[in-house]
Amino acid sequence: MKILIIEDEYRLADLIRDFLEKESHQVEICTDGEDGYFLAASGIYDAVILDVMLPGMDGFSILKALRRENREVPVLFLTAKSDVDSKVLGLDLGADDYLTKPFEMKELAARLRLITRRRQKLLGSFEDFLSLGDLNLNKQEHTLSCKKSGKIMPLADKEYRLLEYLILNAGQVLSKEQISVRIWGYDSEVEYNSAEVYISFLRKKIAFLESQVKIVTIRGVGYQIKEQG
């Protein structure tokens, strides 16, 4: 998973990142509320760990803005505000969970797994497959198959991650920048046209499978995956 930590105590955020990276997650840290809001709204993260007391924009305001804009990224509050009123407010605003400091890293990781599983179920994602139209993406074997033709194709790691990202956001237009950051990260020196190259790879494989699903270019904006009749 790709996780964003919005926490102004950098030492704590760094400890959380180290723990989660050992569990094979990609983790980025932001210590400012306003910057954290824009990152959380980008659509490139699978989950957000959010503090309440932040410089620039507090955590409650960040979550309220995200939900008002229909940004459904799973959010876990991690805060020292342990009073009942704060917990109720956070959950009423749309938080998926609320964990107070001090905490155990193992519990934090377990709660993240729980809220992301809920999100996957809401999106129709089951344990082994993601589906869109006549396509099935096997999450365990990293293969793509077409229910109509019966054909199957293996996917390279970045092909799989890109197609997963597209399917989880089916119907939405994703920019090249969103795709590049999601797949290669902010600090990567990857060429800007790499997204275009991998989109081309996926299109060829989907065409080979004889699927009705298409990855459409929205000129000047980005890409959209959808089923075409």
Side-chain angles (χ1 to χ4, degrees):
M1 291 192 298
K2 193 175 186 70
I3 299 167
L4 173 65
I5 302 172
I6 308 177
E7 166 65 68
D8 63 338
E9 294 182 43
Y10 186 84
R11 185 177 178 183
L12 172 61
D14 196 40
L15 288 172
I16 296 172
R17 176 171 60 184
D18 286 347
F19 183 86
L20 293 177
E21 285 182 342
K22 289 176 182 176
E23 295 202 341
S24 301
H25 300 303
Q26 294 177 275
V27 183
E28 292 175 0
I29 295 172
C30 182
T31 58
D32 177 79
E34 290 185 359
D35 291 342
Y37 160 69
F38 286 113
L39 288 172
S42 67
I44 66 171
Y45 299 98
D46 297 300
V48 175
I49 298 173
L50 179 61
D51 192 10
V52 172
M53 295 173 284
L54 294 163
M57 188 177 185
D58 68 79
F60 291 143
S61 297
I62 291 172
L63 181 59
K64 185 176 181 180
L66 289 172
R67 297 305 188 235
R68 185 174 60 240
E69 297 172 0
N70 295 318
R71 307 287 184 177
E72 297 300 330
V73 59
V75 172
L76 167 64
F77 270 119
L78 181 63
T79 175
K81 293 181 72 66
S82 59
D83 60 285
V84 173
D85 288 343
S86 293
K87 292 179 181 179
V88 170
L89 176 59
L91 295 171
D92 282 347
L93 287 173
D96 296 87
D97 205 345
Y98 195 108
L99 182 62
T100 57
K101 304 171 184 177
F103 64 96
E104 294 290 336
M105 289 290 185
K106 289 182 179 180
E107 181 180 3
L108 173 65
R111 290 186 182 224
L112 280 174
R113 290 193 295 271
L114 177 61
I115 66 174
T116 53
R117 280 201 300 267
R118 288 178 190 155
R119 173 67 171 153
Q120 289 174 342
K121 288 179 180 178
L122 288 172
L123 290 169
S125 170
F126 300 96
E127 184 175 350
D128 295 321
F129 291 94
L130 278 176
S131 297
L132 178 65
D134 57 12
L135 283 182
N136 277 334
L137 182 63
N138 189 309
K139 298 166 64 177
Q140 304 300 319
E141 299 179 2
H142 286 201
T143 57
L144 183 65
S145 60
C146 178
K147 290 176 279 189
K148 183 178 178 180
S149 68
K151 294 181 178 180
I152 186 169
M153 286 286 290
L155 297 176
D157 177 64
K158 287 185 172 57
E159 291 175 337
Y160 170 81
R161 289 169 55 197
L162 174 53
L163 186 56
E164 179 187 48
Y165 184 41
L166 289 168
I167 291 176
L168 287 173
N169 293 276
Q172 298 183 39
V173 179
L174 302 175
S175 68
K176 285 185 180 180
E177 181 180 6
Q178 284 177 298
I179 290 171
S180 295
V181 172
R182 169 72 182 201
I183 306 304
W184 289 278
Y186 277 107
D187 298 327
S188 173
E189 297 180 357
V190 67
E191 293 290 333
Y192 183 69
N193 67 350
S194 291
E196 185 175 337
V197 170
Y198 277 86
I199 288 288
S200 177
F201 291 160
L202 288 175
R203 281 174 170 159
K204 290 176 181 177
K205 292 193 173 184
I206 291 171
F208 171 81
L209 295 174
E210 301 176 27
S211 170
Q212 295 298 307
V213 173
K214 305 294 180 185
I215 301 174
V216 180
T217 300
I218 308 300
R219 188 174 297 276
V221 182
Y223 303 99
Q224 179 186 50
I225 193 169
K226 59 183 181 180
E227 184 180 9
Q228 294 185 338

